[in-house]
Amino acid sequence: MSVTEAERLPALLRGDFHVHSTFSDDARSTLAENIAAASAAGLRTVRLTDHVRASTTWVPEFVAAAAAESVPDGLTVITGVEAKLLDASGAVDTPADLVVGPGGVDAVVIGDHQFPGTDGPWSPTATRERLDAGLSDDDALDLLIEASIRAMERTRHAQLAHWFSILPKVGLDEAQLGPERLLAWAEAAAATGTIVEVNEKWACPGPAAIAALLDAGARIVASTDSHVASDVGRYSRVPQLLDAAAASSRAEREGGR
């Protein structure tokens, strides 16, 4: 990561690329309340993002409602739907008629809510059972990275949400990924134009992954994953992750001299 890249990291905090509204059944604030909160927080960009499944039918209503909202000067409002990564093939749980681009949402925000298994999504409990039964940590990590890359290759206008948050839920650690896996993942993000968010709620991905993304030339953004408007654009953990990524990259460069 160059000095220029390190200097631009604080500018990421002027955006919030993952904000839920009452279109999601677990959120409390309206689209209008989230837009007002983003403006009050001094943001330049906010991505209104709500959960979907293959069975979801309200996306056109969501897109129309977002387009109808009044937007304060200086703020850009974009949209997304959050859908889970399903399996090792990189399939994502989106409606078959989802429109991404003009006339639809601006991005598919892919979440690692469950582990991408060879036969479908594995719950954390089911994944731990497989690990206890003999699935090696390395094989599980390879499976996750391969599924991540395939999902990026298959999904137009993708953004990765809280990536690697699944690992502690199944008893694994992001540090176990190692530089080779992170390099392959980061290069795939850059090659496919996939945006990767640094997530306040889950404090991931970690500094090594962020540094790998920046070194690969991938685009990163900040997100709160807020479910209430009072959290929009409010960061405490993301700046620490960005600072640690910058320090790690600087130490690695100086160590290589």
Side-chain angles (χ1 to χ4, degrees):
M1 180 168 53
S2 69
V3 173
T4 300
E5 287 169 334
E7 289 174 343
R8 74 176 173 83
L9 293 183
L12 296 176
L13 304 181
R14 298 295 299 276
D16 192 339
F17 280 70
H18 187 162
V19 170
H20 289 286
S21 79
T22 49
F23 276 90
S24 293
D25 57 12
D26 59 349
R28 292 160 36 195
S29 300
T30 65
L31 296 176
E33 288 168 336
N34 286 331
I35 291 170
S39 180
L43 299 185
R44 295 173 183 162
T45 307
V46 62
R47 187 188 299 284
L48 305 174
T49 308
D50 282 301
H51 291 288
V52 297
R53 301 174 179 82
S55 59
T56 298
T57 60
W58 49 252
V59 176
E61 179 186 354
F62 165 73
V63 171
E69 292 293 344
S70 176
V71 178
D73 290 343
L75 179 66
T76 297
V77 174
I78 53 180
T79 57
V81 290
E82 183 178 5
K84 68 176 177 288
L85 174 63
L86 288 172
D87 57 32
S89 76
V92 177
D93 193 15
T94 54
D97 60 353
L98 180 68
V99 177
V100 184
V105 295
D106 297 303
V108 176
V109 181
I110 308 172
D112 62 340
H113 299 119
Q114 295 183 300
F115 202 89
T118 53
D119 55 353
W122 297 343
S123 70
T125 298
T127 307
R128 289 192 296 268
E129 289 172 350
R130 284 172 168 81
L131 289 165
D132 291 342
L135 176 67
S136 72
D137 290 359
D138 280 337
D139 285 346
L141 294 168
D142 286 343
L143 190 61
L144 176 60
I145 293 299
E146 290 165 6
S148 302
I149 292 171
R150 289 172 182 162
M152 291 188 278
E153 292 171 342
R154 292 180 59 164
T155 308
R156 294 176 55 243
H157 305 293
Q159 175 177 312
L160 299 187
H162 48 68
W163 220 247
F164 303 134
S165 67
I166 188 64
L167 289 175
K169 298 174 187 176
V170 303
L172 299 175
D173 192 288
E174 194 172 324
Q176 294 176 262
L177 288 166
E180 290 186 6
R181 291 189 185 95
L182 287 178
L183 176 62
W185 170 75
E187 288 183 339
T192 59
T194 300
I195 299 169
V196 182
E197 67 179 53
V198 183
N199 186 285
E200 174 74 16
K201 181 178 180 180
W202 296 99
C204 63
I210 296 169
L213 290 165
L214 291 169
D215 287 341
R219 182 185 176 193
I220 64 171
V221 297
S223 83
T224 59
D225 199 351
S226 68
H227 285 61
V228 60
S230 58
D231 289 340
V232 173
R234 307 296 179 182
Y235 296 111
S236 61
R237 304 168 89 181
V238 169
Q240 295 172 7
L241 291 168
L242 297 177
D243 287 346
S248 174
S249 182
R250 184 168 56 251
E252 183 175 343
R253 288 197 312 273
E254 291 173 351
R257 291 175 184 171

